[in-house]
Amino acid sequence: MDFSTFLIQLLNALQYGLLLFLVASGLTLVFGIMGIINLAHGSFYMMGAYMAFSLTSLTGNLLIAVVLGVALSALIGFLLEWGLFSRLYKRDHLDQVLLTYGLILMFEETRSLIVGDDVHGVPIPELLSASIQLSETLSYPVYRLFMSAVCIALAIGMYWLIRRTRLGMMIRAGSSNREMVQALGINIDLIYRLVFALGVTLAAFAGMLAAPVSSVYPGMGNQVLIICFVVVVIGGVGSVWGALVAALLIGLADTFGKVIIPDYAGLTVYILMAAVLLWRPEGIFRRI
């Protein structure tokens, strides 16, 4: 493997890991703060990809489609928490699993009715359609670099929100002791609603970002859901920073595994998970 090929694989690994973080951070926030096992989280990723396809077809502009899609995703997340998930906080995890599995079926059927079962593509914006030449025969797409930069910016923004703002302080307090926060006069129901809407929006936005570089197809959220749970387990349940580290490790293991040991590449992520759990059964980090 020459240096140019190594650099391309490294950039691919980082881009994949950062995109995984964007999806998994919403999942770990919802589970770590609200205690909700959300099997429908992958469906929100799929929803974002299909929003990018549908709204780009309507508006002719991916940026406008993303802005509209983010607003719609936040609204959908807010309404879902208000109408469904707010009833589950005092119930068993089995009830949560049943509800979220039902949502998977509902999203899949709704997607089939609205856009059908065909595979679709989303064009890359002309401004970001160029490539950077790394050697005489190898180049790297600017759009993938843009995706990585956006994910890094959002990770920094999440750190600032959770660690440096009053809302973040209330979120961290609510994850530790919901009743005490409520007794202090803070509207914990609204905090949970905002956290869930944020989780849905992050997953949907990741789907919108990924749509131009991957096909938009039925069931695409199911594959993402499985790997996101692996990210949460490796990083530590409820830890956003653990999710970032875990997602980057998985991106490196998966990408270089396909290059070095392609016959066993599918096992590399799960071997990594097993190794981390043997070392730290609670995951790499334990705090939000």
Side-chain angles (χ1 to χ4, degrees), residues 12 39-40 42 56 58 71 76 82 84 89 102 119 133 155 160 173 198 206 213 217 220 249 270 277:
N12 284 336
L39 297 184
T56 301
L58 289 173
I76 289 170
W82 171 75
L84 297 176
Y89 298 133
V119 177
Q133 203 70 28
W160 175 79
L198 175 62
V213 296
Y217 56 92
M220 62 185 296
L249 288 175
Y270 302 101
L277 291 180

Side-chain angles (χ1 to χ4, degrees), residues 191-273:
I191 297 297
Y192 276 22
R193 211 153 287 157
L194 292 174
V195 168
F196 190 82
L198 175 62
V200 172
T201 304
L202 287 171
F205 182 66
M208 295 175 208
L209 271 183
V213 296
S214 64
S215 299
V216 180
Y217 56 92
M220 62 185 296
N222 299 335
Q223 298 173 352
V224 171
L225 176 67
I226 294 171
I227 202 71
C228 281
F229 272 114
V230 174
V231 170
V232 171
V233 169
I234 292 176
V237 175
S239 173
V240 175
W241 322 126
L244 176 59
V245 173
L248 290 174
L249 288 175
I250 287 174
L252 291 168
D254 184 70
T255 302
F256 283 98
K258 290 175 180 175
V259 175
I260 299 171
I261 46 172
D263 292 339
Y264 303 97
L267 296 175
T268 54
V269 170
Y270 302 101
I271 292 172
L272 173 64
M273 180 176 69

Side-chain angles (χ1 to χ4, degrees), residues 34-257:
M34 302 165 62
I36 295 291
I37 299 176
N38 185 13
L39 297 184
H41 196 73
S43 297
F44 301 138
Y45 174 83
M46 179 190 71
M47 178 183 73
Y50 273 95
M51 279 185 177
F53 163 70
S54 302
L55 294 173
T56 301
S57 300
L58 289 173
T59 63
N61 187 300
L62 180 61
L63 178 60
I64 295 174
V66 168
V67 172
L68 293 174
V70 165
L72 284 172
S73 302
L75 178 62
I76 289 170
F78 194 90
L79 292 176
L80 281 175
E81 197 284 337
W82 171 75
L84 297 176
F85 287 91
S86 60
R87 275 74 172 167
L88 296 178
Y89 298 133
K90 296 182 180 179
R91 297 196 180 187
D92 294 335
H93 287 313
L94 178 60
D95 293 334
Q96 301 171 8
V97 169
L98 290 173
L99 173 64
T100 53
Y101 181 70
L103 283 175
I104 293 175
L105 300 178
M106 186 189 76
F107 276 112
E108 285 290 343
E109 190 63 27
T110 303
R111 183 265 316 145
S112 180
L113 291 172
I114 295 175
V115 295
D117 297 322
D118 295 329
V119 177
H120 303 283
V122 177
I124 295 176
E126 187 176 350
L127 183 64
L128 301 170
S129 61
S131 295
I132 296 175
Q133 203 70 28
L134 298 178
S135 69
E136 292 182 359
T137 57
L138 296 174
S139 61
Y140 196 78
V142 170
Y143 185 77
R144 287 185 178 271
L145 293 175
F146 171 76
M147 289 174 63
S148 298
V150 170
C151 291
I152 291 171
L154 285 173
I156 295 171
M158 287 179 63
Y159 174 83
W160 175 79
L161 173 68
I162 293 174
R163 291 291 176 184
R164 295 288 184 259
T165 67
R166 183 177 178 83
L167 176 60
M169 180 180 65
M170 290 188 288
I171 289 172
R172 285 183 281 122
S175 69
S176 301
N177 194 321
R178 173 187 170 97
E179 289 74 19
M180 180 60 73
V181 171
Q182 204 163 15
L184 291 173
I186 296 172
N187 188 346
I188 193 64
D189 293 330
L190 178 60
I191 297 297
Y192 276 22
R193 211 153 287 157
L194 292 174
V195 168
F196 190 82
L198 175 62
V200 172
T201 304
L202 287 171
F205 182 66
M208 295 175 208
L209 271 183
V213 296
S214 64
S215 299
V216 180
Y217 56 92
M220 62 185 296
N222 299 335
Q223 298 173 352
V224 171
L225 176 67
I226 294 171
I227 202 71
C228 281
F229 272 114
V230 174
V231 170
V232 171
V233 169
I234 292 176
V237 175
S239 173
V240 175
W241 322 126
L244 176 59
V245 173
L248 290 174
L249 288 175
I250 287 174
L252 291 168
D254 184 70
T255 302
F256 283 98

